[in-house]
Amino acid sequence: MLANIYTAFGLVFDPYVLAVILGSSMFGLFMGAIPGLSATMAVALLVPVTFFMPPVPAVAAMVSATAMAIFSGDIPGCLLRIPGTPSSAAYTDEAYAMTKKGQGEIALGASLVFSAVGGLFGTFVLILAAPVLAELALKFSSFEYFWLVLMGLTCAIFIASDNALKGFVSLFIGMFIASIGMGNPAGVPRFTFDNADLLSGVSLVPLMVGMFAMSEVLRYAVSKDQAMTIPDGKVGNVFKGMWALTVKYPKSILRGSVLGTLVGILPGAGADIAAWMSYAMSKKMSKEPAKFGTGHPEGIVESGAANNSALAGAWIPALVFGIPGDSITAIVIGVLYMKNLNPGPMIFVENPVSMYAIFIVFILANLLMLPLGYWCIKVSKRILGVPRNLLMPLILLFCIVGSYATNNSVSDVGIMLVFGLLAYLMEENGFPVAPAVLGVVLGGMLEEHFVTSMIKADGEFLAFFNRPIAGTLGVVTILLWLLPLVMRGLRKKPVIA
């Protein structure tokens, strides 16, 4: 084990890998700080670049860019009241209220410092929990994986969507896309419309690039939003007063970190859901709830820790079970497969050095967040001033080149354009994209495990409940389905005077 850890340190602290981490960190900071460009989009655009990298720097690029983008989304939220990423929206009003009170430095400092703290907490949970869960997962058969995938899809609907029906529709769109081609247990071509390019299914990378990057280009083309300028005034030392906040709100920091990690583990939740839940809990548990919304740092401290700890939490099911915790890890799983780091319980046995290297990268990325985040805050006026009419054509060019480079196929560019348009239309009509993405990633897995299990059980469905772990997962999943009906029944129950 020590030899593997020593080798992993050597891999991570190679000059090339460090340069990749630094470059992708700055790219992530830039993408997160510009409203409308999300952490998921940053990762999607990095995928084509990783084709030419060894496994460790490829994964390091994604980890670094994601961590930085989630933090830097707080900067325009604090200075302009426009969240840079969805995970910053929960406490944008709070941070902006602090800026108007002349406490912008404290708000930005809290976002930076406690994002790093939450990220480190989630990383240590990942390091401790993932190998333990992997040992448990070795006992899993197709029955357990069927229920696990089904539970993940269920969580994606009920957690990641304000409207469960629209989330359900989005999920089925994704599962339909996953069914295209011959990649099914029977090997029968489905929904290919006699197009040979679709026999192998829809390529994941062009689909992701289209849904998360191309859709944003289309949105700009319709709205033509221009870059915004932040108010005059210099930002001083953002680290000043952070120790006082740490001493004053230790429970908030711990609560946000724990909740963020737990929410991150749930498929379909992600950092934005973690931030909203954490901010709501902070207000409920606070001794000064009346101050929330007036420029009070407590909610920023707790939510800032939650959204970054959720990132590491999402990697736990992704590495151990191959089930993405959010849309970012859905993309990452595709890259892991391309680099022969197949997610699953055996990844810690077959690729221990790479796993230790990924853990080290997580720690390094969250530590680098402090100096690089400070630099980003200092130059935020220039970053936010980048003209959109220059930025969007560059993103479009990158989308086209990256999609083509996946398989050197023009049809992949068409796939990217089609799914970019689909994602744009979905979001314009209130349909969340995240359940669709999880449906694409998990749809094939669900069918494969169901068919395999039915063959084993000779068509007897009760076999899905015969094994202890499978039975438990099955009961929990069914309870999740019944919960909305029970809650609706309780709400309609008349009140007896």
Side-chain angles (χ1 to χ4, degrees):
M1 180 178 175
L2 289 176
N4 289 335
I5 295 174
Y6 180 77
T7 306
F9 268 100
L11 286 174
V12 173
F13 287 91
D14 177 85
Y16 171 67
V17 178
L18 291 175
V20 168
I21 292 173
L22 181 63
S24 55
S25 295
M26 297 181 73
F27 174 71
L29 287 169
F30 176 79
M31 294 292 286
I34 296 181
L37 308 185
S38 64
T40 309
M41 182 178 175
V43 173
L45 290 175
L46 276 176
V47 171
V49 180
T50 63
F51 292 161
F52 313 102
M53 295 181 183
V56 171
V59 178
M62 301 200 158
V63 171
S64 305
T66 306
M68 301 298 171
I70 292 294
F71 150 69
S72 63
D74 296 347
I75 297 174
C78 182
L79 299 177
L80 295 169
R81 205 189 172 199
I82 303 173
T85 61
S87 61
S88 306
Y91 47 94
T92 289
D93 287 341
E94 198 78 67
Y96 187 68
M98 291 186 70
T99 300
K100 290 197 296 184
K101 289 166 61 176
Q103 298 177 344
E105 292 173 4
I106 296 175
L108 287 169
S111 296
L112 173 57
V113 171
F114 299 110
S115 289
V117 171
L120 288 170
F121 180 91
T123 299
F124 288 121
V125 173
L126 168 65
I127 293 170
L128 295 173
V132 175
L133 282 175
E135 289 185 17
L136 175 65
L138 288 173
K139 301 176 183 177
F140 278 32
S141 68
S142 58
F143 297 101
E144 284 81 8
Y145 272 107
F146 169 77
W147 287 118
L148 198 63
V149 172
L150 203 57
M151 187 188 297
L153 293 172
T154 305
C155 290
I157 295 172
F158 293 123
I159 297 175
S161 176
D162 293 332
N163 187 318
L165 179 59
K166 288 186 174 180
F168 194 75
V169 172
S170 177
L171 175 68
F172 266 80
I173 290 173
M175 294 181 72
F176 167 75
I177 296 166
S179 71
I180 296 173
M182 297 177 63
N184 54 78
V188 177
R190 296 187 301 197
F191 308 113
T192 58
F193 305 104
D194 295 326
N195 186 336
D197 292 324
L198 292 177
L199 286 174
S200 59
V202 176
S203 296
L204 186 61
V205 172
L207 181 143
M208 294 290 188
V209 171
M211 296 192 89
F212 292 114
M214 187 63 207
S215 60
E216 215 49 61
V217 175
L218 290 173
R219 189 168 291 108
Y220 166 75
V222 173
S223 65
K224 293 185 178 178
D225 291 331
Q226 297 300 316
M228 295 140 290
T229 54
I230 65 175
D232 291 331
K234 294 183 179 180
V235 177
N237 182 9
V238 296
F239 295 114
K240 187 178 180 181
M242 292 304 105
W243 178 248
L245 288 179
T246 304
V247 173
K248 188 174 182 181
Y249 302 117
K251 292 181 180 179
S252 297
I253 299 167
L254 181 61
R255 195 165 54 226
S257 300
V258 171
L259 179 64
T261 305
L262 294 176
V263 171
I265 294 172
L266 294 173
D272 49 339
I273 303 296
W276 282 105
M277 289 179 67
S278 184
Y279 184 81
M281 181 174 283
S282 180
K283 185 175 182 179
K284 187 174 183 179
M285 305 291 287
S286 175
K287 296 179 180 178
E288 305 170 304
K291 291 186 177 181
F292 278 69
T294 64
H296 187 53
E298 186 176 356
I300 299 174
V301 167
E302 188 160 336
S303 300
N307 58 17
N308 269 68
S309 63
L311 294 179
W315 277 69
I316 295 174
L319 288 176
V320 176
F321 302 109
I323 296 175
D326 57 8
S327 53
I328 293 171
T329 46
I331 301 172
V332 170
I333 284 174
V335 174
L336 291 173
Y337 276 116
M338 283 193 296
K339 300 300 178 184
N340 292 320
L341 295 175
N342 298 343
M346 291 303 293
I347 195 172
F348 296 94
V349 177
E350 296 171 351
N351 298 286
V353 174
S354 297
M355 290 301 99
Y356 289 131
I358 291 172
F359 295 156
I360 295 168
V361 167
F362 263 101
I363 296 171
L364 187 60
N366 282 288
L367 292 176
L368 271 176
M369 189 187 296
L370 295 172
L372 292 180
Y374 179 73
W375 166 81
C376 186
I377 290 170
K378 285 292 187 182
V379 299
S380 55
K381 185 175 289 188
R382 292 183 181 179
I383 292 175
L384 289 166
V386 174
R388 296 296 179 87
N389 56 359
L390 294 178
L391 184 62
M392 288 302 173
L394 286 174
I395 290 174
L396 175 60
L397 179 63
F398 206 90
C399 289
I400 294 171
V401 173
S403 299
Y404 178 80
T406 308
N407 298 306
N408 292 329
S409 172
V410 176
S411 65
D412 283 343
V413 178
I415 287 172
M416 181 271 295
L417 294 172
V418 168
F419 285 104
L421 178 61
L422 175 64
Y424 169 75
L425 293 174
M426 286 174 63
E427 290 186 327
E428 286 297 303
N429 290 280
F431 290 88
V433 172
V437 173
L438 290 168
V440 172
V441 176
L442 297 178
M445 193 184 301
L446 181 71
E447 182 182 18
E448 179 185 345
H449 291 308
F450 176 73
V451 173
T452 303
S453 300
M454 290 299 282
I455 292 172
K456 288 180 183 177
D458 198 23
E460 181 60 50
F461 191 74
L462 286 176
F464 284 86
F465 296 91
N466 285 345
R467 295 163 62 91
I469 298 177
T472 303
L473 291 172
V475 169
V476 171
T477 303
I478 293 171
L479 288 176
L480 283 174
W481 295 345
L482 296 176
L483 183 62
L485 298 176
V486 174
M487 296 298 291
R488 183 179 298 179
L490 291 174
R491 281 197 296 268
K492 288 182 178 180
K493 188 176 180 180
V495 179
I496 300 173

Coordinates of all heavy atoms in Angstrom, one line a residue, residues 158-216:
F158 N -36.9 13.0 -8.2 CA -37.5 13.7 -7.1 C -36.6 14.7 -6.4 O -37.1 15.6 -5.8 CB -37.9 12.6 -6.0 CG -39.0 11.7 -6.5 CD1 -38.9 10.4 -6.5 CD2 -40.2 12.3 -6.9 CE1 -39.9 9.5 -6.9 CE2 -41.3 11.5 -7.4 CZ -41.1 10.1 -7.4
I159 N -35.3 14.6 -6.6 CA -34.4 15.5 -6.0 C -34.0 16.6 -6.9 O -33.9 17.8 -6.6 CB -33.1 14.8 -5.4 CG1 -33.5 13.8 -4.4 CG2 -32.1 15.8 -4.9 CD1 -32.3 13.0 -3.9
A160 N -33.7 16.3 -8.2 CA -33.1 17.3 -9.1 C -34.1 18.1 -9.9 O -33.8 18.8 -10.7 CB -32.2 16.5 -10.1
S161 N -35.4 17.9 -9.5 CA -36.4 18.6 -10.3 C -37.5 19.2 -9.3 O -38.0 18.5 -8.4 CB -37.1 17.7 -11.3 OG -38.2 18.4 -11.9
D162 N -37.9 20.5 -9.6 CA -39.0 21.1 -8.8 C -40.3 20.4 -9.3 O -41.3 20.4 -8.5 CB -39.0 22.6 -9.1 CG -37.8 23.3 -8.5 OD1 -37.2 22.7 -7.5 OD2 -37.4 24.3 -9.0
N163 N -40.4 20.0 -10.5 CA -41.6 19.4 -11.0 C -41.3 17.9 -11.3 O -40.5 17.6 -12.3 CB -42.0 20.1 -12.3 CG -43.3 19.6 -12.8 OD1 -43.6 18.4 -12.8 ND2 -44.2 20.6 -13.3
A164 N -41.8 17.0 -10.5 CA -41.5 15.6 -10.6 C -41.9 15.0 -12.0 O -41.2 14.2 -12.6 CB -42.1 14.8 -9.5
L165 N -43.0 15.5 -12.5 CA -43.5 15.0 -13.8 C -42.6 15.4 -14.9 O -42.2 14.5 -15.8 CB -44.9 15.6 -14.1 CG -45.6 15.1 -15.4 CD1 -45.7 13.6 -15.5 CD2 -46.9 15.8 -15.6
K166 N -42.1 16.6 -14.9 CA -41.2 17.0 -16.0 C -39.8 16.3 -15.8 O -39.2 16.0 -16.8 CB -41.0 18.6 -15.9 CG -42.2 19.3 -16.4 CD -41.9 20.8 -16.5 CE -43.1 21.5 -17.2 NZ -42.8 23.0 -17.3
G167 N -39.4 16.1 -14.6 CA -38.2 15.3 -14.3 C -38.4 13.9 -14.8 O -37.4 13.3 -15.4
F168 N -39.6 13.3 -14.7 CA -39.9 12.0 -15.2 C -39.8 11.9 -16.7 O -39.2 11.0 -17.3 CB -41.3 11.6 -14.7 CG -41.6 10.1 -14.8 CD1 -41.1 9.2 -14.0 CD2 -42.4 9.7 -15.8 CE1 -41.4 7.8 -14.1 CE2 -42.8 8.3 -16.0 CZ -42.2 7.4 -15.1
V169 N -40.4 12.9 -17.3 CA -40.3 13.0 -18.8 C -38.9 13.1 -19.3 O -38.4 12.4 -20.2 CB -41.2 14.2 -19.3 CG1 -41.0 14.4 -20.8 CG2 -42.6 13.9 -19.0
S170 N -38.1 14.0 -18.6 CA -36.7 14.2 -19.0 C -35.9 12.9 -18.8 O -35.1 12.5 -19.7 CB -36.1 15.3 -18.1 OG -34.7 15.4 -18.3
L171 N -36.2 12.1 -17.7 CA -35.5 10.9 -17.5 C -35.8 9.9 -18.6 O -34.9 9.2 -19.2 CB -35.9 10.3 -16.2 CG -35.4 8.9 -15.8 CD1 -33.9 8.9 -15.6 CD2 -36.1 8.3 -14.6
F172 N -37.1 9.8 -19.1 CA -37.4 8.9 -20.1 C -36.8 9.3 -21.5 O -36.6 8.4 -22.3 CB -38.9 8.7 -20.2 CG -39.4 7.5 -19.4 CD1 -39.6 7.7 -18.0 CD2 -39.7 6.3 -20.0 CE1 -40.0 6.6 -17.2 CE2 -40.1 5.2 -19.2 CZ -40.3 5.4 -17.8
I173 N -36.7 10.6 -21.7 CA -36.0 11.0 -22.9 C -34.6 10.4 -22.9 O -34.1 9.9 -23.9 CB -36.0 12.5 -23.0 CG1 -37.4 13.1 -23.3 CG2 -35.0 13.0 -24.1 CD1 -37.5 14.6 -23.2
G174 N -33.9 10.5 -21.8 CA -32.5 10.0 -21.6 C -32.5 8.5 -21.8 O -31.6 8.0 -22.5
M175 N -33.4 7.8 -21.2 CA -33.5 6.3 -21.4 C -33.8 5.9 -22.8 O -33.3 4.9 -23.3 CB -34.5 5.7 -20.4 CG -34.1 6.0 -18.9 SD -35.2 5.3 -17.7 CE -34.9 3.5 -18.0
F176 N -34.6 6.7 -23.5 CA -34.8 6.4 -24.9 C -33.5 6.5 -25.7 O -33.2 5.7 -26.6 CB -35.9 7.3 -25.5 CG -36.0 7.3 -27.0 CD1 -36.6 6.2 -27.6 CD2 -35.5 8.3 -27.7 CE1 -36.7 6.2 -29.0 CE2 -35.6 8.3 -29.1 CZ -36.2 7.2 -29.7
I177 N -32.8 7.6 -25.4 CA -31.5 7.8 -26.2 C -30.6 6.7 -25.9 O -29.9 6.2 -26.8 CB -30.9 9.2 -25.7 CG1 -31.8 10.3 -26.1 CG2 -29.5 9.3 -26.3 CD1 -31.4 11.7 -25.4
A178 N -30.6 6.2 -24.6 CA -29.7 5.1 -24.3 C -30.0 3.8 -25.0 O -29.2 2.9 -25.2 CB -29.7 4.8 -22.8
S179 N -31.3 3.7 -25.4 CA -31.7 2.4 -26.1 C -31.4 2.4 -27.6 O -31.6 1.3 -28.2 CB -33.2 2.2 -25.9 OG -34.0 3.2 -26.7
I180 N -30.9 3.5 -28.1 CA -30.6 3.5 -29.6 C -29.4 2.7 -29.9 O -28.4 2.7 -29.1 CB -30.4 5.0 -30.0 CG1 -31.7 5.8 -29.9 CG2 -29.9 5.1 -31.5 CD1 -31.5 7.3 -30.1
G181 N -29.4 1.9 -31.0 CA -28.3 1.1 -31.4 C -28.4 -0.3 -31.0 O -29.5 -0.8 -30.7
M182 N -27.3 -1.0 -31.1 CA -27.2 -2.5 -30.9 C -26.6 -2.8 -29.5 O -26.4 -4.0 -29.2 CB -26.3 -3.1 -31.9 CG -26.9 -3.0 -33.3 SD -25.8 -3.8 -34.6 CE -25.8 -5.5 -34.1
G183 N -26.4 -1.8 -28.7 CA -25.8 -2.1 -27.3 C -26.8 -2.6 -26.3 O -26.9 -2.0 -25.2
N184 N -27.6 -3.6 -26.7 CA -28.6 -4.1 -25.7 C -28.3 -5.6 -25.6 O -27.6 -6.2 -26.4 CB -30.0 -3.8 -26.3 CG -30.2 -4.3 -27.7 OD1 -30.4 -5.5 -27.9 ND2 -30.2 -3.4 -28.6
P185 N -28.9 -6.3 -24.6 CA -28.6 -7.7 -24.4 C -28.9 -8.6 -25.6 O -28.2 -9.6 -25.8 CB -29.5 -8.0 -23.2 CG -29.7 -6.8 -22.4 CD -29.7 -5.7 -23.5
A186 N -29.9 -8.2 -26.4 CA -30.2 -9.1 -27.5 C -29.4 -8.7 -28.8 O -29.4 -9.5 -29.7 CB -31.7 -8.9 -27.9
G187 N -28.7 -7.6 -28.7 CA -27.9 -7.2 -29.9 C -28.8 -6.9 -31.1 O -28.3 -7.0 -32.3
V188 N -30.0 -6.4 -30.9 CA -30.9 -6.0 -32.0 C -30.8 -4.5 -32.3 O -30.9 -3.7 -31.3 CB -32.4 -6.4 -31.6 CG1 -33.3 -6.0 -32.7 CG2 -32.4 -7.9 -31.4
P189 N -30.7 -4.1 -33.5 CA -30.7 -2.7 -33.8 C -32.0 -2.0 -33.4 O -33.1 -2.5 -33.8 CB -30.5 -2.6 -35.3 CG -29.9 -3.9 -35.7 CD -30.4 -4.9 -34.7
R190 N -32.0 -0.9 -32.7 CA -33.2 -0.3 -32.2 C -33.1 1.2 -32.5 O -32.1 1.9 -32.2 CB -33.5 -0.5 -30.7 CG -33.7 -1.9 -30.4 CD -34.1 -2.1 -28.9 NE -33.1 -1.6 -28.0 CZ -33.1 -1.9 -26.7 NH1 -34.0 -2.7 -26.2 NH2 -32.1 -1.4 -25.9
F191 N -34.2 1.8 -33.1 CA -34.3 3.2 -33.4 C -33.1 3.8 -34.2 O -32.7 4.9 -33.9 CB -34.5 4.0 -32.1 CG -35.6 3.4 -31.2 CD1 -35.3 2.8 -30.0 CD2 -36.9 3.5 -31.6 CE1 -36.3 2.3 -29.2 CE2 -37.9 3.0 -30.8 CZ -37.6 2.4 -29.6
T192 N -32.6 3.0 -35.1 CA -31.4 3.4 -35.9 C -31.9 4.1 -37.2 O -31.1 4.8 -37.9 CB -30.5 2.3 -36.2 OG1 -31.2 1.3 -36.9 CG2 -29.9 1.7 -34.9
F193 N -33.1 3.8 -37.6 CA -33.7 4.4 -38.9 C -32.8 4.1 -40.1 O -32.6 5.0 -40.9 CB -34.0 5.9 -38.7 CG -34.8 6.2 -37.5 CD1 -34.3 6.7 -36.3 CD2 -36.2 5.9 -37.5 CE1 -35.1 7.0 -35.2 CE2 -37.0 6.2 -36.4 CZ -36.4 6.7 -35.3
D194 N -32.2 2.9 -40.1 CA -31.3 2.4 -41.1 C -30.1 3.3 -41.3 O -29.5 3.4 -42.4 CB -32.1 2.4 -42.5 CG -33.2 1.3 -42.5 OD1 -33.0 0.3 -41.8 OD2 -34.3 1.5 -43.1
N195 N -29.7 4.0 -40.2 CA -28.5 4.8 -40.3 C -27.4 4.0 -39.6 O -27.4 3.7 -38.4 CB -28.7 6.1 -39.5 CG -27.6 7.1 -39.6 OD1 -26.4 6.7 -39.8 ND2 -27.9 8.4 -39.4
A196 N -26.3 3.7 -40.4 CA -25.2 2.9 -39.9 C -24.5 3.6 -38.8 O -23.9 2.9 -37.9 CB -24.3 2.5 -41.0
D197 N -24.5 4.9 -38.7 CA -23.7 5.6 -37.7 C -24.4 5.4 -36.3 O -23.7 5.7 -35.3 CB -23.7 7.1 -38.0 CG -22.8 7.4 -39.3 OD1 -21.8 6.7 -39.4 OD2 -23.1 8.3 -40.1
L198 N -25.7 5.0 -36.3 CA -26.4 4.9 -35.0 C -26.3 3.4 -34.5 O -26.9 3.2 -33.4 CB -27.8 5.4 -35.1 CG -28.0 6.9 -35.4 CD1 -29.5 7.2 -35.5 CD2 -27.4 7.7 -34.2
L199 N -25.7 2.5 -35.3 CA -25.7 1.1 -34.8 C -25.0 1.0 -33.5 O -25.3 0.1 -32.7 CB -25.1 0.3 -35.9 CG -25.9 0.0 -37.1 CD1 -25.1 -0.8 -38.2 CD2 -27.2 -0.8 -36.8
S200 N -23.9 1.8 -33.3 CA -23.2 1.7 -32.0 C -23.7 2.6 -31.0 O -23.1 2.7 -29.9 CB -21.7 2.1 -32.3 OG -21.6 3.4 -32.8
G201 N -24.9 3.2 -31.2 CA -25.5 4.1 -30.2 C -25.1 5.5 -30.4 O -24.3 5.9 -31.3
V202 N -25.6 6.3 -29.5 CA -25.3 7.8 -29.5 C -24.0 7.9 -28.7 O -24.0 7.6 -27.5 CB -26.4 8.6 -28.9 CG1 -26.0 10.1 -28.8 CG2 -27.7 8.4 -29.8
S203 N -23.0 8.5 -29.3 CA -21.7 8.8 -28.5 C -21.9 9.7 -27.4 O -22.6 10.8 -27.5 CB -20.7 9.3 -29.5 OG -20.4 8.4 -30.5
L204 N -21.4 9.3 -26.2 CA -21.7 10.1 -25.0 C -21.0 11.5 -25.0 O -21.6 12.5 -24.6 CB -21.2 9.3 -23.8 CG -21.5 9.9 -22.4 CD1 -23.0 10.0 -22.2 CD2 -20.9 9.0 -21.3
V205 N -19.8 11.6 -25.5 CA -19.1 12.9 -25.5 C -19.8 13.9 -26.3 O -20.1 15.0 -25.8 CB -17.6 12.7 -25.9 CG1 -16.9 14.0 -26.0 CG2 -16.9 11.8 -24.9
P206 N -20.1 13.7 -27.6 CA -20.8 14.7 -28.4 C -22.2 15.1 -27.7 O -22.6 16.2 -27.8 CB -21.0 14.1 -29.7 CG -20.0 13.0 -29.8 CD -19.8 12.5 -28.4
L207 N -22.8 14.1 -27.2 CA -24.1 14.3 -26.5 C -23.9 15.3 -25.3 O -24.7 16.3 -25.2 CB -24.7 13.0 -26.0 CG -26.1 13.1 -25.3 CD1 -27.0 11.9 -25.7 CD2 -25.9 13.1 -23.8
M208 N -22.9 15.0 -24.5 CA -22.7 15.9 -23.3 C -22.3 17.3 -23.8 O -22.7 18.3 -23.2 CB -21.6 15.3 -22.5 CG -21.9 14.0 -21.8 SD -23.2 14.2 -20.5 CE -23.2 12.5 -19.8
V209 N -21.4 17.4 -24.7 CA -20.9 18.7 -25.2 C -22.1 19.5 -25.7 O -22.3 20.7 -25.5 CB -19.8 18.5 -26.3 CG1 -19.5 19.9 -26.9 CG2 -18.6 17.9 -25.7
G210 N -23.0 18.8 -26.5 CA -24.2 19.4 -27.0 C -25.1 19.9 -26.0 O -25.5 21.1 -26.0
M211 N -25.4 19.1 -25.0 CA -26.4 19.4 -24.0 C -26.0 20.5 -23.0 O -26.8 21.2 -22.5 CB -26.9 18.2 -23.2 CG -27.6 17.1 -24.1 SD -28.4 15.8 -23.2 CE -30.0 16.5 -23.0
F212 N -24.7 20.5 -22.8 CA -24.2 21.5 -21.8 C -23.5 22.7 -22.3 O -23.4 23.7 -21.7 CB -23.3 20.8 -20.7 CG -24.0 19.8 -19.9 CD1 -23.7 18.4 -20.0 CD2 -25.0 20.2 -19.0 CE1 -24.4 17.5 -19.2 CE2 -25.7 19.3 -18.2 CZ -25.4 18.0 -18.3
A213 N -22.9 22.6 -23.5 CA -22.2 23.7 -24.1 C -22.9 24.3 -25.3 O -23.1 25.6 -25.3 CB -20.8 23.3 -24.5
M214 N -23.3 23.5 -26.2 CA -24.0 24.0 -27.4 C -25.3 24.7 -27.1 O -25.7 25.7 -27.6 CB -24.2 22.9 -28.4 CG -24.8 23.3 -29.7 SD -23.7 24.3 -30.6 CE -24.8 25.3 -31.6
S215 N -26.0 24.1 -26.1 CA -27.3 24.7 -25.7 C -27.1 26.2 -25.1 O -27.9 27.0 -25.3 CB -27.9 23.9 -24.6 OG -27.1 23.8 -23.4
E216 N -25.9 26.4 -24.5 CA -25.6 27.7 -24.0 C -25.3 28.7 -25.1 O -25.7 29.9 -25.1 CB -24.4 27.6 -23.0 CG -24.4 28.6 -21.8 CD -25.8 28.6 -21.1 OE1 -26.2 27.6 -20.5 OE2 -26.4 29.7 -21.0

